[in-house]
């Protein structure tokens, strides 16, 4: 059904709080259920703007995979925003 589970968000989607983050986070459990690849772009403190940017970049670079992809987006507080540094990216 799905070959890819692509997710983004903040620490909750990243798996903070799980004893074994990479194996026990929600996105990995969903990916295991569908026997799919877990592609997780979440980071602690991640903003909604970052999630939109990361998911959009993935879609642009993987147009041929969209029909086999499930997106899981964890929204964060509206007070969070993304700062961009051209030197450090």
């Amino acid at each position: 059904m799905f070959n890819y589970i692509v997710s983004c968000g903040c620490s909750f989607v990243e798996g903070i709080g799980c004893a074994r983050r990479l194996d026990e986070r929600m996105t990995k459990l969903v990916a295991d259920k569908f026997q799919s690849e877990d592609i997780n772009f979440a980071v602690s403190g991640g903003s909604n703007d970052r999630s939109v940017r990361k998911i959009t970049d993935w879609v642009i670079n993987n147009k041929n995979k969209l029909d086999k992809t499930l997106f899981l987006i964890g929204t964060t507080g509206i007070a969070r925003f993304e700062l961009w540094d051209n030197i450090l990216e």
Side-chain angles (χ1 to χ4, degrees), residues 6-8 39 41 47-64 66 69 71-73 82:
V6 178
S7 55
C8 203
I39 303 170
F41 296 115
S47 68
N48 293 326
D49 292 336
R50 181 183 181 282
S51 292
V52 168
R53 179 176 58 81
K54 296 299 283 184
I55 296 298
T56 300
D57 288 347
W58 191 89
V59 167
I60 289 169
N61 293 316
N62 296 280
K63 293 177 185 174
N64 60 325
L66 293 178
T69 302
F71 294 94
L72 300 175
I73 311 298
E82 185 173 42

Short mmCIF file of all heavy atoms in Angstrom, two decimals, residues 6-8 39 41 47-64 66 69 71-73 82:
data_model
loop_
_atom_site.label_atom_id
_atom_site.label_comp_id
_atom_site.label_asym_id
_atom_site.label_seq_id
_atom_site.Cartn_x
_atom_site.Cartn_y
_atom_site.Cartn_z
N VAL A 6 6.69 9.43 5.22
CA VAL A 6 7.50 10.65 5.33
C VAL A 6 6.88 11.53 6.39
O VAL A 6 5.69 11.85 6.33
CB VAL A 6 7.56 11.40 3.97
CG1 VAL A 6 8.36 12.68 4.10
CG2 VAL A 6 8.15 10.50 2.90
N SER A 7 7.67 11.89 7.38
CA SER A 7 7.12 12.66 8.49
C SER A 7 8.03 13.83 8.86
O SER A 7 9.22 13.84 8.56
CB SER A 7 6.94 11.75 9.71
OG SER A 7 8.15 11.12 10.03
N CYS A 8 7.40 14.81 9.50
CA CYS A 8 8.13 15.98 9.96
C CYS A 8 7.37 16.59 11.12
O CYS A 8 6.17 16.38 11.28
CB CYS A 8 8.28 16.99 8.82
SG CYS A 8 9.68 18.11 9.08
N ILE A 39 10.92 7.69 6.78
CA ILE A 39 11.72 8.87 6.44
C ILE A 39 11.24 9.98 7.35
O ILE A 39 10.16 10.53 7.17
CB ILE A 39 11.53 9.25 4.96
CG1 ILE A 39 11.91 8.07 4.06
CG2 ILE A 39 12.36 10.49 4.63
CD1 ILE A 39 11.54 8.24 2.61
N PHE A 41 11.95 13.63 9.14
CA PHE A 41 12.68 14.89 9.12
C PHE A 41 12.48 15.70 10.39
O PHE A 41 12.90 16.85 10.46
CB PHE A 41 12.25 15.74 7.92
CG PHE A 41 12.57 15.12 6.59
CD1 PHE A 41 11.57 14.74 5.72
CD2 PHE A 41 13.88 14.92 6.20
CE1 PHE A 41 11.85 14.18 4.49
CE2 PHE A 41 14.18 14.35 4.97
CZ PHE A 41 13.16 13.98 4.11
N SER A 47 9.78 23.94 13.67
CA SER A 47 8.61 24.82 13.47
C SER A 47 7.73 24.28 12.34
O SER A 47 8.14 23.42 11.56
CB SER A 47 9.07 26.23 13.13
OG SER A 47 9.69 26.26 11.85
N ASN A 48 6.54 24.83 12.26
CA ASN A 48 5.65 24.48 11.15
C ASN A 48 6.25 24.91 9.82
O ASN A 48 6.12 24.21 8.81
CB ASN A 48 4.27 25.11 11.35
CG ASN A 48 3.54 24.52 12.53
OD1 ASN A 48 3.68 23.34 12.83
ND2 ASN A 48 2.77 25.34 13.22
N ASP A 49 6.92 26.07 9.80
CA ASP A 49 7.59 26.53 8.58
C ASP A 49 8.63 25.53 8.11
O ASP A 49 8.75 25.23 6.93
CB ASP A 49 8.27 27.88 8.81
CG ASP A 49 7.29 29.02 9.03
OD1 ASP A 49 6.13 28.90 8.58
OD2 ASP A 49 7.67 30.02 9.66
N ARG A 50 9.40 24.99 9.04
CA ARG A 50 10.42 23.99 8.70
C ARG A 50 9.77 22.74 8.14
O ARG A 50 10.25 22.17 7.16
CB ARG A 50 11.25 23.64 9.93
CG ARG A 50 12.34 22.63 9.62
CD ARG A 50 13.12 22.22 10.87
NE ARG A 50 14.16 21.28 10.51
CZ ARG A 50 13.96 19.99 10.26
NH1 ARG A 50 12.75 19.48 10.34
NH2 ARG A 50 14.96 19.20 9.93
N SER A 51 8.67 22.31 8.74
CA SER A 51 7.98 21.12 8.25
C SER A 51 7.52 21.31 6.82
O SER A 51 7.69 20.43 5.97
CB SER A 51 6.79 20.79 9.14
OG SER A 51 7.22 20.37 10.41
N VAL A 52 6.93 22.47 6.53
CA VAL A 52 6.48 22.76 5.17
C VAL A 52 7.66 22.73 4.21
O VAL A 52 7.58 22.14 3.13
CB VAL A 52 5.74 24.12 5.11
CG1 VAL A 52 5.52 24.56 3.67
CG2 VAL A 52 4.44 24.06 5.86
N ARG A 53 8.77 23.34 4.59
CA ARG A 53 9.95 23.39 3.72
C ARG A 53 10.51 21.99 3.47
O ARG A 53 10.80 21.61 2.32
CB ARG A 53 11.02 24.29 4.33
CG ARG A 53 12.30 24.38 3.49
CD ARG A 53 13.29 25.37 4.09
NE ARG A 53 13.67 25.06 5.45
CZ ARG A 53 14.59 24.15 5.80
NH1 ARG A 53 15.19 23.43 4.86
NH2 ARG A 53 14.90 23.95 7.07
N LYS A 54 10.67 21.20 4.53
CA LYS A 54 11.25 19.87 4.38
C LYS A 54 10.36 18.94 3.54
O LYS A 54 10.85 18.20 2.69
CB LYS A 54 11.52 19.24 5.75
CG LYS A 54 12.56 19.98 6.59
CD LYS A 54 13.92 20.02 5.94
CE LYS A 54 14.65 18.73 6.07
NZ LYS A 54 16.02 18.77 5.54
N ILE A 55 9.05 18.98 3.79
CA ILE A 55 8.14 18.13 3.03
C ILE A 55 8.08 18.57 1.58
O ILE A 55 8.10 17.74 0.65
CB ILE A 55 6.74 18.12 3.68
CG1 ILE A 55 6.78 17.48 5.07
CG2 ILE A 55 5.72 17.42 2.78
CD1 ILE A 55 7.21 16.02 5.09
N THR A 56 8.03 19.89 1.34
CA THR A 56 8.02 20.41 -0.03
C THR A 56 9.28 19.99 -0.77
O THR A 56 9.20 19.55 -1.93
CB THR A 56 7.88 21.94 -0.03
OG1 THR A 56 6.66 22.30 0.63
CG2 THR A 56 7.88 22.50 -1.44
N ASP A 57 10.44 20.12 -0.14
CA ASP A 57 11.69 19.69 -0.78
C ASP A 57 11.64 18.21 -1.13
O ASP A 57 12.07 17.81 -2.22
CB ASP A 57 12.89 19.96 0.14
CG ASP A 57 13.23 21.43 0.27
OD1 ASP A 57 12.72 22.24 -0.53
OD2 ASP A 57 14.01 21.76 1.19
N TRP A 58 11.12 17.38 -0.21
CA TRP A 58 11.05 15.94 -0.48
C TRP A 58 10.13 15.65 -1.66
O TRP A 58 10.45 14.85 -2.54
CB TRP A 58 10.60 15.17 0.76
CG TRP A 58 10.78 13.70 0.61
CD1 TRP A 58 11.89 12.98 0.92
CD2 TRP A 58 9.85 12.76 0.06
NE1 TRP A 58 11.69 11.65 0.61
CE2 TRP A 58 10.45 11.49 0.07
CE3 TRP A 58 8.56 12.88 -0.46
CZ2 TRP A 58 9.81 10.35 -0.40
CZ3 TRP A 58 7.93 11.74 -0.93
CH2 TRP A 58 8.55 10.49 -0.90
N VAL A 59 8.98 16.32 -1.70
CA VAL A 59 8.02 16.11 -2.79
C VAL A 59 8.65 16.50 -4.13
O VAL A 59 8.53 15.76 -5.12
CB VAL A 59 6.71 16.90 -2.53
CG1 VAL A 59 5.85 16.96 -3.78
CG2 VAL A 59 5.95 16.28 -1.37
N ILE A 60 9.31 17.64 -4.18
CA ILE A 60 9.93 18.10 -5.43
C ILE A 60 10.96 17.10 -5.92
O ILE A 60 11.06 16.83 -7.12
CB ILE A 60 10.56 19.49 -5.23
CG1 ILE A 60 9.45 20.55 -5.09
CG2 ILE A 60 11.50 19.86 -6.37
CD1 ILE A 60 9.93 21.91 -4.63
N ASN A 61 11.72 16.51 -5.02
CA ASN A 61 12.79 15.58 -5.40
C ASN A 61 12.34 14.14 -5.55
O ASN A 61 13.13 13.28 -5.97
CB ASN A 61 13.92 15.66 -4.38
CG ASN A 61 14.63 16.99 -4.41
OD1 ASN A 61 14.92 17.51 -5.48
ND2 ASN A 61 14.89 17.55 -3.25
N ASN A 62 11.08 13.84 -5.22
CA ASN A 62 10.59 12.45 -5.26
C ASN A 62 9.20 12.35 -5.88
O ASN A 62 8.36 11.59 -5.39
CB ASN A 62 10.58 11.88 -3.84
CG ASN A 62 11.96 11.79 -3.25
OD1 ASN A 62 12.70 10.86 -3.54
ND2 ASN A 62 12.32 12.76 -2.44
N LYS A 63 8.96 13.08 -6.93
CA LYS A 63 7.63 13.09 -7.56
C LYS A 63 7.17 11.70 -7.98
O LYS A 63 5.98 11.41 -7.95
CB LYS A 63 7.64 14.02 -8.77
CG LYS A 63 7.81 15.47 -8.40
CD LYS A 63 7.89 16.35 -9.64
CE LYS A 63 8.18 17.77 -9.24
NZ LYS A 63 8.41 18.63 -10.39
N ASN A 64 8.09 10.84 -8.34
CA ASN A 64 7.73 9.50 -8.79
C ASN A 64 7.30 8.58 -7.64
O ASN A 64 6.82 7.47 -7.88
CB ASN A 64 8.89 8.87 -9.54
CG ASN A 64 10.14 8.75 -8.68
OD1 ASN A 64 10.42 9.60 -7.83
ND2 ASN A 64 10.91 7.70 -8.89
N LEU A 66 5.19 9.68 -5.00
CA LEU A 66 4.06 10.26 -4.28
C LEU A 66 2.88 9.32 -4.14
O LEU A 66 2.19 9.34 -3.11
CB LEU A 66 3.62 11.57 -4.94
CG LEU A 66 4.63 12.71 -4.85
CD1 LEU A 66 4.11 13.94 -5.56
CD2 LEU A 66 4.98 13.01 -3.41
N THR A 69 3.24 7.06 -1.00
CA THR A 69 3.75 7.75 0.18
C THR A 69 2.62 8.19 1.09
O THR A 69 1.60 8.71 0.63
CB THR A 69 4.57 8.99 -0.24
OG1 THR A 69 5.64 8.58 -1.09
CG2 THR A 69 5.14 9.72 0.96
N PHE A 71 2.13 10.78 4.31
CA PHE A 71 2.77 11.88 5.03
C PHE A 71 2.16 12.00 6.42
O PHE A 71 0.94 12.04 6.57
CB PHE A 71 2.60 13.20 4.27
CG PHE A 71 3.31 13.23 2.95
CD1 PHE A 71 2.65 12.88 1.78
CD2 PHE A 71 4.64 13.60 2.88
CE1 PHE A 71 3.32 12.89 0.56
CE2 PHE A 71 5.31 13.62 1.67
CZ PHE A 71 4.65 13.26 0.52
N LEU A 72 3.02 12.08 7.43
CA LEU A 72 2.60 12.30 8.81
C LEU A 72 3.23 13.60 9.27
O LEU A 72 4.45 13.72 9.37
CB LEU A 72 3.07 11.15 9.71
CG LEU A 72 2.56 9.76 9.36
CD1 LEU A 72 3.22 8.72 10.25
CD2 LEU A 72 1.05 9.71 9.49
N ILE A 73 2.39 14.60 9.53
CA ILE A 73 2.87 15.93 9.91
C ILE A 73 2.42 16.24 11.33
O ILE A 73 1.22 16.24 11.62
CB ILE A 73 2.33 17.02 8.96
CG1 ILE A 73 2.52 16.63 7.49
CG2 ILE A 73 2.97 18.37 9.27
CD1 ILE A 73 3.94 16.46 7.06
N GLU A 82 11.24 29.71 11.96
CA GLU A 82 12.52 29.25 11.47
C GLU A 82 13.41 30.44 11.15
O GLU A 82 12.97 31.40 10.52
CB GLU A 82 12.31 28.40 10.22
CG GLU A 82 13.54 27.77 9.69
CD GLU A 82 13.26 26.80 8.56
OE1 GLU A 82 12.44 27.10 7.68
OE2 GLU A 82 13.86 25.73 8.56
#
